[in-house]
Amino acid sequence: AMADEGGTFRLRCSLLGHGQDVRGLTRGLFPEGGFVSVSRDRTARLWAPDGLNRGFTEMHCMSGHSNFVSCVCIIPPSDLYPRGLIATGGNDHNICIFTVDNPAPLYVLKGHKNTVCSLSSGKFGTLLSGSWDTTAKVWLNDRCMMTLQGHTAAIWAVKILPEQGLMLTGSADKTIKLWKAGRCERTFTGHEDCVRGLAILSEMEFLSCANDASVRRWQISGECLQVYYGHTNYIYSICVFPRCKDFVTTGEDRSLRIWKQGECAQTIRLPAQSVWCCCVLDNGDIVVGASDGIIRVFTESLERTASAEEIQAFENELSQASIDPKTGDLGDINADDLPGREHLKEPGTRDGQTRLIKDNGKVEAYQWSVSEGRWIKIGDVVGSSGATQQTSGKVLFEGKEYDYVFTIDVNESGPSFKLPYNITDDPWLTAYNFLQKNDLNPMFLDQVAKFIMDNTKGQTLLSTSNQFSDPFTGAGRYVPGSSSGSSTVPGADPFTGAGRYVPGSASNAVTPVGGVDPYTGMDAYQSAAAKVENIYFPKKDAVTFDQANPTQILGKLKELNGSAAEEHKLTEDDLIILEKLLSATCNTSAETPTAQQLQTLWRAVNWPEDIVFPALDILRLSVRHPTVNENFCSEKEHVQFIILLLKFLNPKGKQANQLLALRALCNCFVSHAGQKLMMEQRDEIMTQAIETKSGNNKNIHIALATLTLNYAVCLHKVNNVEGKAQCLSVISTVMEVVQDLEAIFRLLVALGTLISDDTNAVQLAKSLGVDSQIKKYASVSEPAKVKECCRFVLNLL
């Protein structure tokens, strides 16, 4: 045999230890050359290379999940944990974090509402998790920082990209999404079934694999560069070789495939139906886990290859495997037409080619090995044994469950089609719909219907019991809206505003006026001879919009009132009332605003949107007054008040209204009642406010930056991790579009205030890549405050 050609993977060792399917693998950092495996047997195991022979030794077994363990990843070393940490996700909805030398978890992350089936770690201690609850979550240490919402079905795969702040998620909704700083930037479409795995090639490219039996190579910019075909069934996992673009895949067709230069260079069959997972070690060896609970390692190195006896034992095990024709691994089989054993005398044409023969009434499957120049038996083909049903419950197709999914090849050269079928379906109707859907010739109707009947013989309705079988192929899969999804403990889910902030006391000081204050823009602040004192942050008080010209505002209000429709017109008395309100709240009179004045103002701010802006401006100025603030922001009134302001933030509405609504929200922060309301409604307000960034209006950008800054001031006083994460995400997103330096300055102060005295916030800001976003402002010459503030922030990062 041509053993010297190199580049062929052979068995290195088989590792027993897990009691059930091995569902996840990842190469370990410690011990060197080792790896971690997780299984349906509810354990995770750490394996170290065995110095003496070619195997691995189980170092220890970790337990912490109350159900199957589905995925695993390594969190890189930190000062606190120099050997890194191990994260595992399970069907109990939890993520367990382990140290490398303790079998019990260090801590458990709770928050997902269904199976956690994918994990990926980034720099600075961040962890990304994907779940059947259709969300992905970003965790930092033991806290959930943000939830990525947008997929409409289970998220099977997640990856953090090398460029900071970028994350990928792949879902059963057939799409892949790219997220930046917690917001979906792009959706990649092309796969025709659930996306199951993702692998990173470089900062610009990644790979995905799916239940449509294809692998795709994508550019981050959105374009699909290549599609690779080779597998004949679902592809469950994909992993890239170190320092090159070659990769390996495993799937439901019992195979591990090695891809080099874009071609399937080698196919290794395993004696197990589902090859769930793979990982590549630093030395290039491949570790695979399968439904028979055995971990197998394959190597190109002759020194590490298993002994002849072990390889023979593996081949014997393979040859005794029974292959279920229903899985479509071998195409459609008609036993009567198969050749006999003599057919194996002809050599194969490519590595991994399969050939079926009939010997004494038994159908056997063989695979051609180029490196050995011989046919290797890969199993006996059995009748409708229902093997896939036993191992995996229902079969998943297009994100839905079926008793069977057949592969139908209409002609040799053309593509094969998937035909999903439930025992309760009518075979003729199913066949008819299948031909219609795939634009196939209706004359195949008899053949397809007969094929369905022949291949589902003896299957009764009882076999589709509803008990919980393996959810990985889709049984017991989460269907949004169907689960009772008990609303978890408040505070478990970020962004619901749970765990609400109740401020102790807040000073009502209005921004001091004077040349020293960098906010008012008066006598633009000049630094004396290079004083390096940070006067910028953490900022202690809200920044408000105080500038006012009451005469102009009232003049405009009167003018528009003249043209208003009858039902909106204000009387002369109403206008005098509003004039009094303005003078009471702009400190020109010592009177307190009255209930009557506020009722009149409320009528005016409900004017049609094309004439409402002077009334909104009166609202912006009035809400700084403690009486008005208390009135609009108190428990009784606040719902209408917030709904009103959020309505004006619609980016399709008038820019003047967007601007004044943002300024009014900023001014709410002057009093205790306003702060409390702003913090309770933070998620809603920030989500709406960020949409106003699209208008490229510098005043709107300054108001948006100020709103973010006022949130940062409040969040600095309380440790609300989710709130800080949302603010950091907003700062990062708005920084991308803002040109105006005053807006940039306010965002920098907000950033500095958020991360002051909080190492978690510093780590999160770094993981979002904020430091690289703001570097350019360190060299701005005018106004000097931008440069100085930026440098203070960079010192913290």
Side-chain angles (χ1 to χ4, degrees):
M2 309 178 294
D4 57 347
E5 82 172 328
T8 302
F9 280 87
R10 293 186 179 79
L11 185 70
R12 169 176 168 182
C13 60
S14 298
L15 304 172
L16 305 170
H18 282 295
Q20 291 186 50
D21 302 45
V22 177
R23 298 304 314 236
L25 288 164
T26 185
R27 71 185 182 87
L29 294 173
F30 173 87
E32 214 173 311
F35 62 89
V36 185
S37 61
V38 297
S39 161
R40 282 183 65 166
D41 67 9
R42 307 183 181 194
T43 68
R45 294 168 199 248
L46 179 61
W47 303 84
D50 183 326
L52 300 170
N53 58 30
R54 307 174 180 91
F56 287 80
T57 313
E58 185 183 311
M59 288 195 58
H60 70 224
C61 176
M62 294 159 276
S63 306
H65 288 281
S66 59
N67 205 328
F68 306 157
V69 194
S70 329
C71 54
V72 58
C73 84
I74 299 288
I75 298 174
S78 61
D79 297 343
L80 199 51
Y81 300 105
R83 292 170 160 187
L85 294 168
I86 296 165
T88 59
N91 287 41
D92 56 5
H93 314 178
N94 293 342
I95 299 164
C96 291
I97 307 291
F98 297 91
T99 56
V100 291
D101 41 24
N102 190 334
L106 182 65
Y107 50 85
V108 177
L109 305 178
K110 294 176 181 284
H112 277 297
K113 298 181 175 67
N114 208 321
T115 294
V116 178
C117 54
S118 182
L119 291 167
S120 174
S121 61
K123 294 180 184 158
F124 316 111
T126 46
L127 179 68
L128 175 63
S129 61
S131 162
W132 294 356
D133 65 12
T134 76
T135 71
K137 288 181 186 285
V138 183
W139 309 81
L140 182 64
N141 304 328
D142 55 349
R143 304 294 293 273
C144 177
M145 292 293 166
M146 47 180 79
T147 299
L148 310 182
Q149 290 175 308
H151 282 293
T152 55
I155 295 180
W156 280 105
V158 296
K159 273 283 184 280
I160 296 184
L161 281 154
E163 190 192 322
Q164 288 156 15
L166 289 181
M167 298 175 176
L168 287 169
T169 54
S171 162
D173 64 14
K174 308 179 196 176
T175 69
I176 299 161
K177 288 182 184 289
L178 174 72
W179 308 78
K180 183 168 173 98
R183 292 168 62 80
C184 180
E185 289 269 305
R186 181 169 294 117
T187 299
F188 302 79
T189 54
H191 277 298
E192 289 159 32
D193 205 341
C194 306
V195 178
R196 294 299 285 261
L198 293 165
I200 307 300
L201 288 171
S202 67
E203 290 202 357
M204 299 314 297
E205 289 185 18
F206 66 92
L207 297 165
S208 62
C209 65
N211 278 0
D212 61 11
S214 75
V215 172
R216 286 174 178 259
R217 182 161 63 94
W218 305 87
Q219 232 165 358
I220 293 294
S221 57
E223 159 188 17
C224 179
L225 301 173
Q226 204 171 346
V227 184
Y228 308 88
Y229 295 104
H231 280 279
T232 57
N233 207 326
Y234 306 160
I235 306 176
Y236 291 132
S237 74
I238 184 164
C239 189
V240 178
F241 282 103
R243 297 170 295 282
C244 71
K245 291 200 168 179
D246 296 340
F247 58 93
V248 292
T249 52
T250 68
E252 181 67 17
D253 57 6
R254 324 166 139 263
S255 73
L256 151 73
R257 292 176 195 245
I258 292 123
W259 303 77
K260 297 191 173 174
Q261 278 98 43
E263 296 287 320
C264 179
Q266 192 183 351
T267 301
I268 297 175
R269 299 271 171 177
L270 294 173
Q273 182 64 52
S274 309
V275 189
W276 291 120
C277 52
C278 60
C279 71
V280 177
L281 302 178
D282 291 330
N283 60 12
D285 286 4
I286 303 167
V287 187
V288 294
S291 51
D292 58 3
I294 298 175
I295 297 167
R296 295 179 177 84
V297 186
F298 294 88
T299 184
E300 284 183 303
S301 142
L302 294 174
E303 294 86 84
R304 293 195 297 274
T305 302
S307 65
E309 295 79 42
E310 287 171 275
I311 289 185
Q312 191 55 54
F314 173 65
E315 286 190 10
N316 291 346
E317 196 186 349
L318 191 57
S319 70
Q320 285 153 22
S322 51
I323 300 175
D324 177 4
K326 286 204 305 300
T327 58
D329 305 347
L330 305 166
D332 293 338
I333 300 164
N334 185 341
D336 304 337
D337 303 344
L338 291 175
R341 186 164 291 284
E342 68 286 351
H343 193 44
L344 298 178
K345 294 203 175 82
E346 298 163 35
T349 51
R350 59 181 173 81
D351 195 78
Q353 176 187 358
T354 52
R355 187 163 280 182
L356 300 180
I357 63 147
K358 193 171 172 188
D359 191 34
N360 295 327
K362 264 191 359 197
V363 177
E364 297 178 359
Y366 285 80
Q367 174 179 306
W368 179 251
S369 164
V370 168
S371 59
E372 315 220 349
R374 66 187 175 100
W375 289 99
I376 296 173
K377 184 177 174 192
I378 57 170
D380 295 308
V381 180
V382 294
S384 298
S385 68
T388 43
Q389 270 67 15
Q390 284 159 20
T391 54
S392 348
K394 297 258 192 156
V395 194
L396 200 65
F397 176 65
E398 293 183 349
K400 299 192 189 70
E401 300 167 7
Y402 295 95
D403 295 324
Y404 298 93
V405 176
F406 299 113
T407 306
I408 306 274
D409 292 295
V410 180
N411 56 27
E412 285 294 290
S413 53
S416 60
F417 299 95
K418 293 270 187 257
L419 186 159
Y421 179 74
N422 282 320
I423 293 159
T424 48
D425 296 344
D426 175 275
W428 295 93
L429 189 62
T430 305
Y432 175 77
N433 290 335
F434 164 78
L435 295 171
Q436 291 281 91
K437 177 184 171 188
N438 295 299
D439 268 344
L440 299 172
N441 190 329
M443 64 174 245
F444 288 126
L445 182 64
D446 283 1
Q447 257 174 291
V448 175
K450 181 173 182 311
F451 173 80
I452 294 172
M453 290 185 278
D454 290 348
N455 283 286
T456 53
K457 278 196 188 98
Q459 283 286 339
T460 63
L461 296 182
L462 295 175
S463 67
T464 61
S465 65
N466 258 342
Q467 94 252 23
F468 184 81
S469 63
D470 181 3
F472 279 84
T473 46
R477 214 175 122 270
Y478 166 74
V479 181
S482 69
S483 74
S484 57
S486 57
S487 57
T488 43
V489 193
D493 189 35
F495 292 84
T496 50
R500 285 181 180 150
Y501 162 66
V502 180
S505 68
S507 82
N508 291 337
V510 183
T511 323
V513 177
V516 245
D517 188 84
Y519 288 87
T520 54
M522 296 185 176
D523 325 310
Y525 165 79
Q526 294 295 320
S527 78
K531 272 208 308 238
V532 282
E533 188 195 352
N534 181 356
I535 57 165
Y536 302 108
F537 63 82
K539 188 121 182 66
K540 296 284 192 278
D541 302 305
V543 177
T544 51
F545 288 91
D546 305 315
Q547 65 283 23
N549 185 330
T551 330
Q552 268 186 340
I553 296 171
L554 287 163
K556 194 71 189 168
L557 187 74
K558 285 174 181 163
E559 175 198 322
L560 291 169
N561 190 45
S563 62
E566 281 311 312
E567 71 265 25
H568 296 302
K569 264 204 183 23
L570 300 172
T571 64
E572 279 305 307
D573 289 351
D574 290 336
L575 292 167
I576 292 163
I577 288 170
L578 288 176
E579 191 168 356
K580 281 194 175 141
L581 174 64
L582 255 182
S583 65
T585 55
C586 292
N587 306 331
T588 44
S589 80
E591 289 175 32
T592 299
T594 65
Q596 184 192 27
Q597 291 168 355
L598 295 178
Q599 280 157 3
T600 309
L601 174 60
W602 186 249
R603 281 186 17 235
V605 293
N606 280 287
W607 270 7
E609 69 166 335
D610 48 337
I611 58 170
V612 72
F613 64 92
L616 272 180
D617 215 8
I618 299 176
L619 177 66
R620 163 192 64 106
L621 289 162
S622 319
V623 80
R624 297 169 310 157
H625 193 288
T627 313
V628 184
N629 195 295
E630 181 62 43
N631 179 79
F632 282 128
C633 300
S634 70
E635 294 301 318
K636 294 196 300 295
E637 301 297 329
H638 72 252
V639 180
Q640 277 81 11
F641 177 65
I642 289 292
I643 290 172
L644 176 89
L645 290 178
L646 290 180
K647 179 183 79 182
F648 291 124
L649 292 183
N650 181 347
K652 295 190 177 66
K654 284 179 80 72
Q655 288 204 328
N657 296 346
Q658 291 174 38
L659 176 66
L660 293 166
L662 284 169
R663 287 180 173 178
L665 287 165
C666 292
N667 288 358
C668 286
F669 281 90
V670 298
S671 278
H672 180 79
Q675 283 182 21
K676 184 165 182 289
L677 174 62
M678 292 293 103
M679 289 299 276
E680 283 177 0
Q681 303 293 323
R682 169 183 54 77
D683 187 27
E684 278 294 300
I685 293 170
M686 288 299 252
T687 306
Q688 271 287 280
I690 197 171
E691 298 303 327
T692 61
K693 73 180 166 55
S694 54
N696 288 336
N697 172 313
K698 87 169 208 178
N699 288 327
I700 288 179
H701 285 172
I702 292 170
L704 179 56
T706 309
L707 179 62
T708 313
L709 171 54
N710 287 352
Y711 270 116
V713 170
C714 281
L715 288 162
H716 180 66
K717 295 177 188 154
V718 296
N719 192 16
N720 175 331
V721 191
E722 291 86 4
K724 285 190 173 183
Q726 188 186 26
C727 259
L728 285 169
S729 170
V730 168
I731 292 169
S732 166
T733 309
V734 176
M735 278 274 182
E736 297 276 297
V737 293
V738 170
Q739 303 290 311
D740 182 77
L741 288 174
E742 180 59 37
I744 292 289
F745 170 67
R746 293 185 181 198
L747 288 170
L748 288 169
V749 177
L751 179 57
T753 302
L754 278 174
I755 64 177
S756 291
D757 320 313
D758 183 348
T759 50
N760 265 348
V762 170
Q763 283 184 294
L764 185 65
K766 283 187 188 171
S767 72
L768 292 175
V770 178
D771 45 350
S772 50
Q773 269 184 308
I774 65 171
K775 280 198 178 86
K776 58 182 175 202
Y777 299 114
S779 49
V780 168
S781 49
E782 281 295 311
K785 64 182 185 180
V786 173
K787 171 175 72 184
E788 287 171 8
C789 184
C790 181
R791 289 179 180 174
F792 282 120
V793 175
L794 286 171
N795 287 343
L796 288 182
L797 293 169

